[in-house]
Amino acid sequence: MVLLTPGPTPIHPLVQAALAKPMRGHLDPETLATNRRIRGYLEALFGAGEGALLAAMPGSGSLGMEAGLTNLASQGDAVLLLVNGTFGERMVEIAHAYGMRYTVLRAEPGQPIDPEAVRRALAERRYQLVTLVHGETSTGVINPAAEIAALVREHGAYFMLDAVTTAGMMPLSMTAMGVDYAYTGSQKCLSAPPGLAPFALSRRGRERLGKAHVPGWYSDLARVAVYWEQEGYFCTSPVLLHFALEEALRLALEEGLEKRYQRAKRLYGQVLGLLEELGFRAYAAPEARLPTVLTVRPPEGFSEADLRKGLYQRGVSVAGGIGPTAGQMLRLGLMGESAREEHYRVFFRALGEVMGKNGLEEAFLERTQPAAV
Ligand code: PLP
């Protein structure tokens, strides 16, 4: 099966091999040495600066989200949630579940958050924390994180960035942008198996740890730090996933984040160009297209469910819409190992069969491998 969903992503053979290493204890010297190397790699991934807490929580990306909200704001603190899709809405659900005092600023699905609207919202009241999803997977929109971070910094609030569809596939610098907390899921742009939520908490953000009340135990980052920094017991971590994550991070950084970004962008343009010729229409606003998640509405006469089913029967797994986009679109992943020409070649071969059109694979090859002169 060729995995072209927006996560999980295909796993590199070296990452797969790391999963087959012999089991070790969570406090075994080899595991702890792996953890130290992971922290070094996470510094390069997030650019979190001196004194940041770097770690990977045992859980999925949503745990990273929940931990950010509960560690950076206490009950009663005002929180501003910037929302333009399902994963922004998830932040609202979490804030609601914890009884936080939150305000939601929404943009239409398919549109980015407008920094001017954020400026106005920040002028109205004092916030402790502002949250943003960098790349909204449900719509394929990238939000102007750097511009918004600058406004939040001026305001004095903490800024939390969901980097689930961006970290590992584009250069990020939390210090340059002014981000206090960022997280991802191991199964997305890093192409490791699901099960870990790598994150970085800035020096400024971590000043709260151990002081402010956190309404939870497992997601209390002060406890997570005991394991990752003091190398003491917090919980039994998924050691084999640590081995796989280390290898995935090593591969990503060896390739280089800028190169990976260009790889995703180039393939996005080639895939979208051919899909548009077939009558598909891009969903995300042209100025805000997330290079790691391509969202398209099917042409007249084709339903997204039938297309997905036909592709799956031919060994290609893609996703449909979720939340506001359910039933309206296909979502194609271009994260990590999914952003490879050979996989999209298989995709176009299968799509040609499903749509009854000849020559799609060849047409794709013409775009990706221009004839030599
Ligand atoms: N944030 C974004 C932008 C996502 O795309 C996802 C998952 O797709 C999540 C958060 C939640 O991650 P997980 O499904 O690993 O809990």
Side-chain angles (χ1 to χ4, degrees), residues 27 47 49 65 69 89 112 157 165 183 186 192 195 264-265 271 296 312-313:
L27 294 170
M65 184 187 282
L69 279 158
E89 296 294 349
T165 56
Y183 60 91
S186 47
K265 264 194 7 189
V271 172
V296 280
Y312 191 83
Q313 283 163 348

Side-chain angles (χ1 to χ4, degrees), residues 100-168:
M100 291 179 167
R101 208 154 57 89
Y102 59 89
T103 304
V104 185
L105 173 64
R106 285 193 174 82
E108 287 299 310
Q111 296 298 320
I113 301 282
D114 175 10
E116 276 315 306
V118 177
R119 189 193 296 280
R120 287 193 295 275
L122 292 176
E124 274 169 26
R125 66 192 288 194
R126 168 85 191 91
Y127 288 100
Q128 158 81 9
L129 170 67
V130 179
T131 69
L132 177 71
V133 177
H134 195 187
E136 183 44 80
T137 326
S138 61
T139 58
V141 163
I142 187 160
N143 282 309
E147 266 178 273
I148 293 172
L151 295 171
V152 176
R153 184 44 60 98
E154 214 174 280
H155 182 81
Y158 289 123
F159 185 51
M160 158 170 149
L161 186 67
D162 175 310
V164 168
T165 56
T166 52

Side-chain angles (χ1 to χ4, degrees), residues 18 21 35 40 81 98 197 212 246 263-264 280 283 298 312 317 337:
K21 281 187 180 176
N35 292 351
L81 307 168
Y98 283 100
E246 180 195 0
R263 171 156 66 83
F280 286 84
Y283 181 85
Y312 191 83
S317 180
E337 290 305 306

